[in-house]
Each structure stands twice: as structure tokens, then as C-alpha cells.
């Protein structure tokens, strides 16, 4: 079988060095990658590096190897074009259809999915001109990955950092796997919760659960690859932030509720994949609880945590909002799931069987998606991102 053909465009930003790692991940996973840098990009990383890592010659000009018509052929033959980093200058040229070098010509001739990974200073990213260019590219079907928040050039910190290469690779892999040029979640704002809440008992101990957050992160990654703007509310996870998602880190159920309600105000869909503790200790002990010889510990009184899924389903902060819940069950899985769907009032409920060695912390999942209209969708055992795509496939029609 032919290797998938990827064009890696690199524009002139300090983050160009990170594209070397993205290139390595793409080539080592079986992709045929052609690097097309801008002249400014070669000021940061030289042509020999790109040629050695990709196995292809590198040029910035349309005048090299003219007989092969590279300004047309490279884009025509690509299965994916990804530009990382994409500077403000490159985004402006792409939005306005300029074609002054090989990369901008390639963007005009490509008929495959295109992914832009912007990287620049915060002021440049937030400038109305850049935002308008990004909106134009998204409107035309491109996936523009939101930049990360973190250390920029020099002492500056803010939004504009290129996401980590490993997370960008996941976006590219998901876009290639779908093979659809038009992202079906384009323009949608999706709120996703992930992980497990922890309810403190004292400064050392807490009530928690085994959730790793992997299913929620898979939902976030697949949503970004399908063009959505994603807000991920992450409770006690250890994974890297997914590329393109705005991540809010929380600890307790009360904090999770506050973050979800705030983000849901303008969301098209809310997916509650986090494992939220039903109860919390009624009293927080400020000092570590000590054990005493011959004395049994006092019983821990519990109080109910807010039911975020039921609350968000009842209130629907935005008209037409789609609400998806998750139900982790240990017995009578479908019966308990149907009762929970009725009680919570959400549109879809993803029900799966969990246990000490089932689902939690695993890369795979198996579930049944129950719908309020009575339709059940079984999802066979497989990668959690496959289940995530099924969830989005069921959410999209409900927007109408």
C-alpha cells in the first residue's frame, strides 16, 4: 500500500524547531512527508535538516524543478497538508489566497484536509486582523488548532505557544483517519469534562475514583480534529493538554460544576465524561487525622455533591444545546443506564461496565450509547477515540 502523503509546511517562527519532532513522528508512523518551508523558516532550521529527516529535497521557490510543476503537483498529490508553525503572516497570506512561494501555492492547489497550527505572540494572535483571517480559513473548511498557553519568546507568557508535537501528531492522525475535507464540527463550541474528582478529607487524604480521563481526552482530540472549539474541564489528570483545546484544571466536584456552568453558557454541546464523586466529606479536617492505639476512627459523615449532569440537562444554558452523560456501572448495566438516562434528562448517555481492570486507565473501551428517543447504539471493544467519534457522529444530527 502507498504511504499516506503529508505535506508539512513550516513558516518563519521560533517554534519551527518543534516541527522537526512532528516530522519525525509522522515519518516513523509510516507517512511519506514532504517538507515545504518558507524562506523565513530556513532562518531557523536549515534545508539539510528537513531533507535528512524527510528523505525528500527541500525548496521554498516555485522555480526549482519547474518541469515537475511543483507548485501544483505537491498540493494535488497530498492526503493532508499541515502548517506548523503557522505565523500571523502565513495565515494572512492563506486567508487572502496569495501565492508568492511554494508553500502558499501548495495551499491553493490542495484538495485534501488542511491543518494550521498557529504560533506567535499573544498580541499578534489576539489582533482583530489575525482573528478575522483565522475565521476565514475555518469558514472555508480548514482546521485551525488553537495555540497553547505558556512560555513564549523571551520572558513573555500567554496564549500563542505551539502545542506539543506529540499532540499535534494526534490531530494529524485523526484528520487523516477520517479523510474528510470538510470538518463536521466546524464552528461548534463543545464543553467536555474528563478525569475524576477528589474530595478532600484532610490535607493528606481524599475520596476519589479510578478515572484516568483518557476517554474525555479522546473526545477532546477527536473534536478538535473535526473542527470544533473545545473547552476541556480536566479533573486530576496527568496527561498533556490536547492540542487545540482550552483546558481548565479542577480538583473537586464543586469546582468542576463551576467551570462547566461557566463554559456551557455559549456551548453547542456539553459532554460530561468525568467521573464526578457523588459524595464529599461533610467536614474538612485542617490537620492530618491521626490514628490512636486502641481507639477506633470516627465515622466519616458524607454529604451529596451537586448533580451537574441533571442540572445542566434541566437548565440548558443555550437553546438547542445537546447534553451527553456517561454512566459507569458494575451490574445491570443497561437497566441502570436507562434509568439514569430518564432521571438525568440528557439527550445521550454512554453506558459502560467498569471495574478494577475494566475501562479505567485503559486505552480501550466498550459501551452502548443510549438516546432519549429510545435508539441504542452499541460500540464494540476498541480504542477510546473510536467511541469518541461515535459520540460525535450521534451529536452532529441533533444540532439540527
Amino acid at each position: 500500500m502507498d504511504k499516506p502523503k503529508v505535506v508539512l509546511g513550516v513558516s518563519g517562527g521560533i517554534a519551527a524547531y518543534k516541527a522537526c519532532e512532528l516530522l519525525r513522528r509522522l515519518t516513523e508512523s509510516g507517512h511519506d512527508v514532504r517538507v515545504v518551508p518558507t524562506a523565513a523558516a530556513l532562518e531557523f532550521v536549515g534545508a539539510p535538516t528537513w531533507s535528512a529527516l524527510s528523505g525528500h529535497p527541500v525548496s521554498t521557490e516555485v522555480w526549482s524543478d519547474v518541469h515537475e510543476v511543483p507548485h501544483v503537483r505537491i498540493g494535488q498529490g497530498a492526503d493532508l497538508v499541515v502548517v506548523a508553525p503557522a505565523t500571523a503572516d502565513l495565515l494572512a497570506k492563506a486567508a487572502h489566497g496569495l501565492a508568492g512561494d511554494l508553500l502558499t501555492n501548495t495551499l491553493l492547489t490542495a484538495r485534501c484536509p488542511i491543518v494550521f497550527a498557529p504560533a506567535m505572540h499573544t498580541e499578534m494572535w489576539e489582533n482583530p486582523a489575525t482573528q478575522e483571517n483565522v475565521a476565514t480559513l475555518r469558514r472555508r473548511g480548514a482546521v485551525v488548532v488553537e495555540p497553547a498557553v505558556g512560555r513564549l519568546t523571551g520572558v513573555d507568557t500567554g496564549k500563542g505557544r505551539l502545542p506539543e508535537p506529540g499532540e499535534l501528531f494526534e490531530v494529524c492522525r485523526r484528520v487523516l483517519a477520517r479523510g474528510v475535507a470538510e470538518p463536521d464540527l466546524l464552528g461548534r463550541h463543545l464543553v467536555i469534562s474528563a478525569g475524576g474528582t477528589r474530595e478532600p478529607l484532610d490535607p493528606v487524604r481524599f475520596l476519589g475514583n479510578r478515572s484516568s480521563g483518557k476517554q474525555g481526552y479522546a473526545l477532546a482530540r477527536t473534536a478538535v480534529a473535526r473542527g470544533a472549539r473545545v473547552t476541556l474541564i480536566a479533573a486530576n489528570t496527568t496527561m498533556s493538554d490536547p492540542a487545540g483545546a482550552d483546558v481548565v484544571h479542577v480538583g473537586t466536584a464543586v469546582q468542576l460544576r463551576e467551570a462547566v456552568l461557566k463554559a456551557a453558557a455559549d456551548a453547542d454541546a456539553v459532554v460530561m465524561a468525568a467521573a464526578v464523586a457523588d459524595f464529599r466529606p461533610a467536614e474538612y479536617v485542617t490537620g492530618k487525622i491521626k490514628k490512636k492505639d486502641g481507639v477506633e476512627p470516627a465515622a466519616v459523615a458524607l454529604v451529596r455533591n451537586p448533580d451537574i449532569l441533571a442540572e445542566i440537562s434541566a437548565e440548558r444554558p443555550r437553546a438547542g444545546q445537546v447534553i451527553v452523560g456517561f454512566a459507569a456501572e458494575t451490574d445491570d448495566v443497561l437497566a441502570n443506564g436507562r434509568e439514569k438516562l430518564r432521571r438525568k434528562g440528557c439527550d445521550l448517555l454512554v453506558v459502560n461496565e467498569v471495574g478494577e481492570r475494566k475501562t479505567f486507565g485503559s486505552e480501550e473501551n466498550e459501551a452502548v450509547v443510549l438516546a432519549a428517543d429510545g435508539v441504542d447504539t452499541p460500540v464494540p471493544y476498541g480504542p477510546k477515540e473510536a467511541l469518541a467519534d461515535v459520540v460525535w457522529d450521534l451529536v452532529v444530527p441533533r444540532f439540527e
Side-chain angles (χ1 to χ4, degrees):
M1 295 178 63
D2 293 336
K3 294 181 178 180
K5 292 180 172 57
V6 178
V7 174
L8 173 58
V10 185
S11 57
I14 189 66
Y17 76 93
K18 287 186 176 181
C20 296
E21 174 65 14
L22 176 58
L23 172 57
R24 184 187 69 80
R25 288 176 180 264
L26 287 166
T27 55
E28 289 186 356
S29 58
H31 299 86
D32 181 10
V33 187
R34 176 77 178 262
V35 181
V36 182
T38 63
L42 296 182
E43 296 291 333
F44 295 94
V45 180
T49 298
W50 300 122
S51 295
L53 291 175
S54 68
H56 289 291
V58 169
S59 175
T60 66
E61 301 294 337
V62 297
W63 306 110
S64 301
D65 300 318
V66 174
H67 64 288
E68 296 180 357
V69 202
H71 73 291
V72 174
R73 295 288 180 261
I74 294 175
Q76 284 180 334
D79 297 303
L80 172 70
V81 177
V82 53
V83 184
T87 60
D89 179 69
L90 188 282
L91 293 172
K93 290 175 178 176
H96 289 83
L98 301 182
D101 59 11
L102 190 56
L103 177 54
T104 48
N105 273 269
T106 298
L107 291 170
L108 282 180
T109 58
R111 293 296 179 266
C112 60
I114 298 176
V115 176
F116 293 94
M120 62 198 75
H121 268 71
T122 307
E123 294 83 358
M124 299 177 74
W125 171 251
E126 293 178 347
N127 189 283
T130 302
Q131 290 300 303
E132 181 61 30
N133 292 331
V134 168
T136 297
L137 292 170
R138 285 173 170 160
R139 193 163 54 246
R140 294 174 184 163
V143 174
V144 183
V145 178
E146 289 284 315
V149 176
R151 184 71 178 267
L152 306 174
T153 307
V155 298
D156 294 338
T157 299
K159 189 167 187 176
R161 181 182 175 90
L162 187 72
E164 293 305 309
E167 291 298 328
L168 283 178
F169 170 71
E170 290 299 323
V171 173
C172 295
R173 188 174 64 83
R174 292 305 308 150
V175 172
L176 270 169
R178 284 184 57 78
V180 179
E182 183 71 23
D184 59 356
L185 290 173
L186 191 66
R188 301 293 185 180
H189 177 208
L190 309 177
V191 175
I192 303 162
S193 69
T197 62
R198 294 177 178 178
E199 311 303 324
L201 176 61
D202 64 19
V204 177
R205 304 174 181 89
F206 60 84
L207 299 179
N209 56 66
R210 299 179 185 273
S211 178
S212 65
K214 290 182 178 180
Q215 185 62 71
Y217 274 57
L219 283 157
R221 291 189 180 104
T222 52
V224 168
R226 293 169 73 154
R229 176 167 69 93
V230 175
T231 300
L232 177 65
I233 316 296
N236 304 297
T237 61
T238 59
M239 294 172 286
S240 299
D241 292 349
D246 290 324
V247 183
V248 180
H249 293 279
V250 298
T252 67
V254 171
Q255 293 169 349
L256 183 78
R257 173 186 178 273
E258 181 181 350
V260 167
L261 292 179
K262 180 179 179 181
D266 68 341
D268 296 287
V270 179
V271 181
M272 293 294 299
V276 183
D278 292 323
F279 309 98
R280 68 181 184 272
E283 179 184 0
Y284 174 74
V285 181
T286 56
K288 180 183 175 182
I289 301 172
K290 299 288 188 179
K291 64 180 178 181
K292 298 177 181 179
D293 292 339
V295 179
E296 290 297 315
V300 177
L302 300 176
V303 295
R304 285 184 178 274
N305 270 323
D307 191 329
I308 307 170
L309 178 57
E311 181 179 357
I312 205 82
S313 297
E315 294 185 358
R316 308 275 173 157
R318 181 175 180 175
Q321 198 170 65
V322 180
I323 308 297
V324 183
F326 272 68
E329 301 290 345
T330 57
D331 51 59
D332 295 329
V333 175
L334 289 181
N336 287 334
R338 291 189 178 97
E339 169 59 21
K340 185 171 184 177
L341 175 64
R342 182 198 63 77
R343 192 173 68 253
K344 301 292 186 179
C346 50
D347 301 292
L348 298 168
L349 188 72
V350 183
V351 185
N352 55 2
E353 185 176 359
V354 298
E356 188 172 346
R357 293 179 176 83
K358 291 181 180 179
T359 302
F360 287 143
S362 171
E363 301 296 333
E364 290 79 30
N365 204 346
E366 180 180 7
V368 177
V369 185
L370 308 178
D373 60 11
V375 177
D376 298 351
T377 305
V379 183
Y381 186 80
K384 287 185 173 178
E385 64 184 22
L387 172 57
D389 270 325
V390 171
V391 170
W392 298 129
D393 288 343
L394 294 170
V395 166
V396 169
R398 285 170 168 77
F399 288 141
E400 304 306 322

